[in-house]
Amino acid sequence: MKKTEDYIREVEKFSAHNYHPLPVVLSTGEGVWVWDVEGNKYMDMLSAYSAVNQGHRHPKIIKALVDQAQKITLTSRAFHNDKMGPFLHKLCGVAGYDKALPMNTGAEAVETAIKAARKWGYLKKGVEENKAEIIVCENNFHGRTTTIISFSTEPQYKFGFGPFTPGFKIIPYNDPEALEKAITPNTVAFLVEPVQGEGGVIVPDEGYYKKIREITKKYNVLLIADEIQTGFGRTGTLFAMDREGVKPDILVVGKALGGGIYPVSAILADDDIMDVFKPGDHGSTFGGNPLASAVGMASLEVILEEKLPERAEELGNYFMEELRKINSPYVKEVRGRGLLVGVEIKKEIATARPFCEKLMRLGILAKETHEQVIRFAPPLIIKKEEIDWALEKIRKVLTEPI
Ligand SMILES: *Cc1c(COP(=O)(O)O)cnc(C)c1O
């Protein structure tokens, strides 16, 4: 019988080495649980970077997928399909925007937002052709395309991939004054993550969203929120900026919009921005396809029906409170919002990786981000008893000798 090592050897031989996964080979999943090829059970505390907020194989989303697969799966946008309209209608209603533009992956949606903002700048704001500037933050993560890595501050994401796309300005995160100073007449947008997920679960100060909203309004600059990871309940509200009642001009969503089943992403905006797109300006063969639309619709319904934002808020607060009670010699800080939680390990002692490996042996799958931080982001359907089960193991790992 093929064992874990055999699968890993095979993938090492035939896959590009662009990831460094934990040595576990998963073959089934249900809810918050996953099983490896040898039958070991683990709690999924990563949720595919928040793409599995609804839990693995949510029955309602699986049913939508299977039902739609029996009808039609792909038409391309050369023709209409009967699922995209209802899906986008629902998405716009839920998020509160006039229009949506569907894509597949998060990076594609970020690219779409950049194109929308630039074209809006030229057509509506009157910026001179090819002069548009977009302000972004240090330590950002918005995806892996050539343009997006052009404004990354992570050397590894960029090394060997130049030349880079110009037109971006980098300021510190959580610094409204730096934003105001960086704005010029050519600035068309400020692109920001409400909580920096890949950057190590960095939560900005209270009032940050309000301040950046006021500044961007004052200078007629679009506020683009990349809620690909924070959206759909992860941080305890439907969208992270809802916490301060802030509505960005362009909302970028992905990950959980596909319910962990299918890649579905989109940008949302009101008509004065979205009407810069004319037929032929932008597109995607798979974006808005009937299968994606059916899955997206069901994914949204599950988030609302099962009150996942409220669950994340309540259980996230409980989880963080309990984590802070652990008297660990290794932990520098516990931080987060909702069920997006980071435990930072003291640099002088160790990196986060050995703790993740130890957790794996105890049946918890979590992944380090940015060397020092263990990210805990379970599916939002997790129960309190399941969090307690996890806490027991986490306590052990954070207090025992490494
Ligand atoms: C994951 C992520 C992306 C990229 O999404 P992909 O689907 O991997 O292209 C962009 N922005 C944020 C904040 C993310 O977490």
Side-chain angles (χ1 to χ4, degrees):
M1 213 184 71
K2 235 168 137 172
K3 301 193 67 156
T4 294
E5 307 78 66
D6 305 315
Y7 287 99
I8 292 177
R9 211 174 303 119
E10 188 174 39
V11 89
E12 290 281 310
K13 181 161 162 54
F14 292 105
S15 164
H17 293 181
N18 56 328
Y19 276 92
H20 180 34
L22 288 174
V24 59
V25 181
L26 302 174
S27 58
T28 44
E30 186 177 345
V32 301
W33 302 100
V34 291
W35 287 262
D36 71 11
V37 287
E38 281 155 41
N40 301 305
K41 182 181 176 181
Y42 306 87
M43 181 180 284
D44 182 358
M45 279 278 204
L46 176 65
S47 309
Y49 307 95
S50 296
V52 192
N53 284 0
Q54 299 89 338
H56 288 274
R57 292 191 306 113
H58 192 290
K60 179 168 176 156
I61 312 173
I62 291 290
K63 182 172 189 308
L65 175 88
V66 171
D67 288 352
Q68 188 57 41
Q70 307 287 358
K71 291 181 185 144
I72 190 165
T73 53
L74 184 61
T75 56
S76 86
R77 295 289 304 276
F79 314 117
H80 287 279
N81 73 68
D82 66 349
K83 288 295 179 299
M84 192 180 92
F87 166 51
L88 298 184
H89 187 169
K90 173 94 181 172
L91 179 60
C92 286
V94 164
Y97 290 88
D98 292 340
K99 285 189 172 60
L101 195 166
M103 298 295 284
N104 312 284
T105 65
E108 283 176 306
V110 172
E111 290 272 354
T112 304
I114 291 168
K115 287 170 82 173
R118 284 180 167 180
K119 198 161 185 202
W120 171 88
Y122 300 130
L123 298 185
K124 305 275 172 105
K125 188 170 170 168
V127 173
E128 194 187 325
E129 182 69 16
N130 291 328
K131 291 275 162 64
E133 294 166 2
I134 294 176
I135 299 171
V136 299
C137 291
E138 280 169 7
N139 198 39
N140 70 71
F141 184 82
H142 296 287
R144 301 289 203 152
T145 64
T146 327
T147 286
I148 294 171
I149 59 153
S150 295
F151 54 85
S152 174
T153 57
E154 175 64 46
Q156 201 206 339
Y157 294 174
K158 300 183 76 160
F159 177 75
F161 299 129
F164 301 110
T165 307
F168 299 94
K169 239 187 193 171
I170 299 165
I171 62 165
Y173 189 61
N174 191 24
D175 189 342
E177 270 174 40
L179 172 63
E180 187 154 14
K181 278 200 200 119
I183 292 173
T184 73
N186 290 334
T187 305
V188 296
F190 175 45
L191 167 64
V192 65
E193 297 158 88
V195 174
Q196 289 188 327
E198 298 315 297
V201 191
I202 311 293
V203 183
D205 295 337
E206 199 79 51
Y208 180 60
Y209 308 148
K210 271 203 175 125
K211 284 183 191 152
I212 59 176
R213 177 69 287 184
E214 278 162 22
I215 294 164
T216 46
K217 230 180 210 139
K218 182 171 159 194
Y219 294 95
N220 193 25
V221 165
L222 301 180
L223 175 60
I224 307 175
D226 179 348
E227 294 242 16
I228 291 167
Q229 185 159 160
T230 54
F232 301 118
R234 174 54 60 186
T235 68
T237 46
L238 185 60
F239 298 104
M241 287 196 185
D242 292 350
R243 191 170 289 271
E244 294 179 15
V246 165
K247 185 185 169 190
D249 300 296
I250 302 179
L251 179 69
V252 189
V253 291
K255 293 199 167 120
L257 187 56
I261 286 174
Y262 198 88
V264 188
S265 70
I267 69 161
L268 291 120
D270 284 338
D271 285 329
D272 61 315
I273 296 165
M274 210 66 107
D275 69 11
V276 302
F277 286 116
K278 302 286 181 243
D281 278 1
H282 188 56
S284 157
T285 303
F286 286 91
N289 75 68
L291 200 60
S293 298
V295 165
M297 178 73 117
S299 301
L300 273 176
E301 284 169 356
V302 168
I303 290 158
L304 300 172
E305 285 164 9
E306 302 190 12
K307 299 198 178 351
L308 298 188
E310 290 86 342
R311 291 184 66 90
E313 176 70 9
E314 194 184 316
L315 292 172
N317 285 336
Y318 170 71
F319 187 37
M320 279 188 278
E321 239 168 67
E322 292 300 310
L323 285 172
R324 288 191 182 111
K325 282 183 199 160
I326 301 172
N327 189 7
S328 166
Y330 314 118
V331 174
K332 185 175 168 201
E333 190 186 27
V334 175
R335 55 177 181 256
R337 207 162 252 178
L339 278 171
L340 182 55
V341 175
V343 173
E344 184 171 346
I345 302 296
K346 290 177 186 161
K347 225 190 187 119
E348 58 277 20
I349 300 184
T351 62
R353 178 86 182 191
F355 295 92
C356 293
E357 285 169 358
K358 236 176 141 181
L359 283 167
M360 186 188 97
R361 276 176 252 128
L362 294 178
I364 293 180
L365 296 182
K367 188 78 168 65
E368 76 278 7
T369 180
H370 262 227
E371 298 282 311
Q372 293 312 122
V373 182
I374 314 171
R375 170 176 29 197
F376 292 109
L380 307 183
I381 54 152
I382 194 167
K383 298 189 189 81
K384 181 165 175 294
E385 306 85 82
E386 290 166 333
I387 289 197
D388 286 330
W389 178 91
L391 276 164
E392 203 185 301
K393 320 270 173 199
I394 296 168
R395 242 175 243 127
K396 209 169 140 75
V397 169
L398 291 179
T399 53
E400 280 182 355
I402 35 169

